[in-house]
Amino acid sequence: MTNEPRPLTILFADIGGSAALYKREGDARAHQLVAESLACMRKAVEDNQGTVLRTVGDSVLASFQTPDQAFLGARDIQRAHIPKPVSVRIGFHSGLVIPDDGDVYGHAVNIAARVAEFSRVDEIMATADAVEQLSPCHLPYLSRADSIEVKGVPELVTVHRLHWQDTPVAVTRLASRPEYEKSTSPDQRLQIRHGNRIIYAGAEHVEISLGRASDNDIVVSNDEASRHHASIRFRHGQFLIQDDSTNGTFVRKDSLLPFLVRRDSIVLDGHGVLCLGASPEQVGAEMIEFELLQA
C-alpha cells in the first residue's frame, strides 16, 4: 500500500569544500573531521525535534514537523561549527513528501536539495513556502535573497537567507515576485570598464562573470583573485555584485572608503570601483570601474 503524502519541512545540510579538506588535512584527519561534523549535525537536528533520515558522504537529510524547528536546528548546526575547521551550507523547504520506511521522497526533497546547493558555506537558505510559516519571532532574522530555477518546477522558486548570528537584521516584508518585477526598469544599464574594454549589464545581459579564469566575461590577472571570483547580476531592477571568492571583493563607491564584500552580495549604484581580492589602495591593484546609467 502506498503511503499518503504528508506535509513536512525537509532540510539538507552539506559540508562545503570537503574535497579541499581531504587534500589539506589528509584522508585520516579529514575523515575524522567529517564524522565529527555529521555527529554535530545529528545532535542539532534531534535537539530540535527533527529526524535525521539519512547521511550521504558529507551531507545530512533531515525532516521536521515545522519550519520553526528546522530554522532552530539549522541555526544550532551553524553555531556549533563556529570553532570547527569545516563549514556547512544549509537549505530547507516545506511541502508534501511521501514517507517510506524511515525515509521520504517527493518533489519537496528535490527542492530542499537545490536550495542547499544554492546556499553558500556558513549560510541558511529557505524557500518562501517555509519562510511564510515561520513564527513572527524569527522574522527579524530574515532577508530576501533571490529566485532560483529548480528542475521540474515551471516557475522560479523564491528563496530567503536566514541570519543565524545573535544579532537580527531589519525585518524584510515578504513580497510576491510580481511586486518585485514592477520595480524593474528595462532601460537601466550598468557600464563596466576594465582597461580599454567596456561592457554593459542590463535586461539584455543579466549576468557578467569576473575572475582569473579565461572563461569569465571580465578576466583579471592579479593572483589574489579566484578563478571564478564574482558576478554582476541584474535582479528585480537592481544590479548586484555577488562575491563567491576566497579573498573577497573590494568595493569603493563614489569617493567613499573601500569596503570588503565576501561571500555576500550588495547593490551597485552610482559609480565606483571594484577590485578582486585586493584593495584599490594596493599598489598595482586591477581596477574595474562601474557606473549606473539611466536612459
Side-chain angles (χ1 to χ4, degrees):
M1 180 177 178
T2 303
N3 291 327
E4 291 294 323
R6 56 177 296 196
L8 284 176
T9 298
I10 304 301
L11 178 147
F12 265 97
D14 174 62
I15 298 173
S18 58
L21 177 69
Y22 276 85
K23 183 177 180 180
R24 183 179 71 247
E25 301 288 345
D27 289 349
R29 175 59 176 160
H31 178 75
Q32 178 188 355
L33 291 172
V34 169
E36 291 174 355
S37 175
L38 294 176
C40 175
M41 292 189 225
R42 177 180 292 275
K43 183 179 186 305
V45 167
E46 294 176 349
D47 284 350
N48 289 280
Q49 294 77 54
T51 301
V52 173
L53 302 170
R54 61 178 182 262
T55 60
V56 180
D58 55 6
S59 63
V60 165
L61 170 66
S63 67
F64 296 84
Q65 296 296 321
T66 69
D68 283 350
Q69 294 170 346
F71 172 51
L72 293 174
R75 188 177 67 179
D76 285 353
I77 288 173
Q78 294 292 18
R79 288 179 176 176
H81 278 80
I82 291 174
K84 296 183 181 296
V86 297
S87 299
V88 179
R89 58 172 61 90
I90 302 173
F92 64 88
H93 168 68
S94 295
L96 292 176
V97 298
I98 300 173
D100 184 11
D101 194 24
D103 208 338
V104 293
Y105 299 90
H107 211 49
V109 179
N110 298 332
I111 294 174
R114 176 68 182 92
V115 175
E117 181 184 76
F118 178 78
S119 176
R120 300 189 298 277
V121 293
D122 301 323
E123 278 191 348
I124 301 170
M125 304 289 288
T127 62
D129 289 334
V131 163
E132 288 166 359
Q133 301 176 54
L134 285 173
S135 297
C137 64
H138 297 315
L139 295 183
Y141 297 89
L142 172 70
S143 65
R144 170 67 186 248
D146 211 331
S147 297
I148 63 174
E149 294 181 353
V150 178
K151 186 177 181 181
V153 178
E155 298 179 350
L156 292 175
V157 174
T158 301
V159 293
H160 300 263
R161 179 178 294 109
L162 287 157
H163 298 263
W164 51 269
Q165 293 85 352
D166 289 330
T167 304
V169 296
V171 177
T172 300
R173 180 180 66 86
L174 298 187
S176 64
R177 183 167 176 78
E179 286 179 292
Y180 279 90
E181 289 174 340
K182 289 177 184 176
S183 68
T184 301
S185 171
D187 297 326
Q188 276 191 338
R189 294 195 302 167
L190 188 73
Q191 177 181 279
I192 305 159
R193 182 190 297 270
H194 179 237
N196 295 324
R197 187 176 180 219
I198 299 177
I199 59 177
Y200 295 91
E204 75 289 349
H205 194 177
V206 296
E207 185 161 336
I208 294 172
S209 58
L210 307 87
R212 282 191 298 111
S214 60
D215 58 348
N216 287 289
D217 296 305
I218 294 179
V219 180
V220 299
S221 58
N222 56 299
D223 293 337
E224 295 88 351
S226 298
R227 288 180 53 79
H228 297 97
H229 191 101
S231 59
I232 295 171
R233 303 173 181 178
F234 184 62
R235 296 287 189 273
H236 315 303
Q238 294 180 314
F239 295 96
L240 305 174
I241 177 75
Q242 171 65 60
D243 178 85
D244 298 301
S245 71
T246 300
N247 295 323
T249 300
F250 284 86
V251 181
R252 186 176 66 200
K253 292 185 178 182
D254 301 313
S255 58
L256 301 176
L257 292 174
F259 57 93
L260 181 66
V261 178
R262 185 173 179 272
R263 305 282 180 173
D264 206 347
S265 60
I266 65 161
V267 174
L268 295 179
D269 48 18
H271 60 86
V273 170
L274 306 173
C275 286
L276 308 188
S279 169
E281 299 170 341
Q282 183 174 323
V283 176
E286 248 179 280
M287 306 284 190
I288 301 170
E289 300 176 38
F290 66 88
E291 181 177 0
L292 183 63
L293 306 176
Q294 299 282 358

